[in-house]
Amino acid sequence: MPLAIIVILVVLALGLVWLIYSLVWGTPPTIDLALNRLGLRWILQNPEGLTEIGLLANTSLDFYSGSLTDASPLYMEHLRQLDRDGLTLIRRYDAESLTGQQAITYRMIRWYYEQNLRGHRFDYHWISDPVFMGPYPVNQVFGVQLDLIRFLCLEHKIKGRRSMRRYLQRLEEVSWKLEGLQDSLLTRSIDGVIPPKFVLEKVLRQIENFVDTPPEENPLYTSFLTRVADAGRLNPTAQQRWGGRVLDSLEAQVIPAYEALGDYLEDLLDQAQTEDGVWRLPDGEAYY
């Protein structure tokens, strides 16, 4: 092989190595590529977010549709680290050299990570999604206990048997997710960060309504049957057979998990206060 060709191949190989390093570990050539990398790191740890986006859903490359997103303190620490890494990476770019859309992107993303890290100064800061943030993982509007039901009823698409199996897998993970949620509540309660009494009372009524609803009327069951029928892949007998599996999972796993969460919140209610301002939390005025 001529020396010139060997040199060209070596240069191309080194260029490819440099590009891979820049995209995965180093500083990507453009801020847009950096943003893509940061977004990918976040979304790969968020199965529910991947489902909402619809990326790879119900394909042979779908690796996430049978999983739920963690609600434990470990996951929140993971998000904190992502925000720290994100700000570090964005700061590597020279703002003065950026123009047009890239300059706007730089300012927005830097502000986003700086704002997140201001919240992360407080151990009780909770990020449910890019819209809702606050000190209480359980609340009557955006609480995990509500969002999970909404997600399973509305976001998990049913296309065929594979997506039905993964729906069942997600139902089996409900207890794991709610146990992680209880851990998040516990770490906050140790520091005196407990939702106000009226919040807990409303949440407990929501949970009571959910667990007291007959399984055959439970939205996790009725919405599943509707989606299966709309998919048009199964005959009525097969639909009922799959529905029976969902009922079994509700009775054996989902409802007991919500009952356990309700029992925990009942105990927490005894410690709750009537004051509802975040000023009462540790360093609450600064958090507000």
Side-chain angles (χ1 to χ4, degrees):
M1 182 180 295
L3 179 61
I5 295 178
I6 294 176
V7 171
I8 291 173
L9 290 175
V10 170
V11 170
L12 290 174
L14 291 174
L16 181 61
V17 169
W18 172 82
L19 180 60
I20 293 174
Y21 171 80
S22 298
L23 292 176
V24 179
W25 296 287
T27 305
T30 69
I31 195 170
D32 292 331
L33 290 173
L35 186 57
N36 289 338
R37 185 174 93 188
L38 293 169
L40 186 62
R41 283 188 61 189
W42 171 75
I43 201 66
L44 287 177
Q45 297 296 320
N46 186 356
E48 294 172 28
L50 279 166
T51 292
E52 291 174 352
I53 293 173
L55 186 65
L56 304 177
N58 296 306
T59 70
S60 57
L61 299 177
D62 183 346
F63 62 91
Y64 59 84
S65 289
S67 302
L68 297 173
T69 300
D70 195 0
S72 73
L74 182 64
Y75 181 66
M76 200 53 54
E77 179 53 41
H78 170 72
L79 293 183
R80 292 189 186 100
Q81 188 59 51
L82 285 182
D83 287 333
R84 288 191 286 263
D85 293 346
L87 184 58
T88 298
L89 180 57
I90 293 301
R91 281 175 170 171
R92 294 178 189 172
Y93 294 90
D94 179 13
E96 299 300 323
S97 67
L98 299 174
T99 60
Q101 186 60 51
Q102 290 209 339
I104 296 173
T105 298
Y106 174 87
R107 291 195 297 270
M108 290 182 60
I109 298 305
R110 178 160 180 166
W111 174 87
Y112 169 80
Y113 284 120
E114 288 175 344
Q115 286 294 101
N116 282 359
L117 289 171
R118 288 189 183 100
H120 288 318
R121 289 168 41 216
F122 305 87
D123 290 339
Y124 50 78
H125 186 57
W126 174 265
I127 300 176
S128 176
D129 54 52
V131 175
F132 175 78
M133 301 179 187
Y136 308 129
V138 162
N139 62 80
Q140 76 278 20
V141 181
F142 296 105
V144 174
Q145 82 289 345
L146 285 178
D147 286 345
L148 177 57
I149 297 171
R150 177 201 61 79
F151 169 80
L152 289 169
C153 289
L154 300 178
E155 300 296 341
H156 186 105
K157 302 298 186 289
I158 300 295
K159 301 295 184 181
R161 285 180 170 80
R162 175 186 294 172
S163 53
M164 289 188 286
R165 284 194 296 269
R166 290 180 172 175
Y167 184 76
L168 288 168
Q169 290 170 357
R170 277 180 157 159
L171 293 181
E172 292 171 358
E173 285 207 347
V174 167
S175 59
W176 164 80
K177 175 154 185 152
L178 295 187
E179 286 169 3
L181 175 61
Q182 288 189 46
D183 289 342
S184 292
L185 292 167
L186 176 61
T187 59
R188 286 163 174 76
S189 67
I190 291 173
D191 295 328
V193 180
I194 298 172
K197 186 178 291 289
F198 84 92
V199 170
L200 289 178
E201 288 173 344
K202 289 184 176 182
V203 170
L204 282 167
R205 285 198 293 271
Q206 292 171 344
I207 293 175
E208 181 179 358
N209 289 337
F210 178 77
V211 301
D212 287 348
T213 298
E216 295 81 4
E217 300 174 16
N218 189 293
L220 296 178
Y221 171 71
T222 58
S223 68
F224 173 80
L225 287 184
T226 298
R227 283 172 286 170
V228 170
D230 290 344
R233 299 290 185 88
L234 301 180
N235 61 46
T237 300
Q239 291 177 29
Q240 290 302 315
R241 184 167 62 250
W242 280 92
R245 296 176 66 181
V246 170
L247 284 177
D248 290 343
S249 184
L250 287 176
E251 294 174 338
Q253 297 167 342
V254 177
I255 292 175
Y258 270 86
E259 289 175 335
L261 176 62
D263 291 341
Y264 179 82
L265 294 179
E266 285 282 3
D267 293 338
L268 206 58
L269 185 62
D270 295 333
Q271 307 172 48
Q273 301 180 25
T274 56
E275 295 90 350
D276 54 4
V278 295
W279 52 264
R280 68 182 176 81
L281 304 180
D283 206 12
E285 290 190 9
Y287 183 69
Y288 180 81

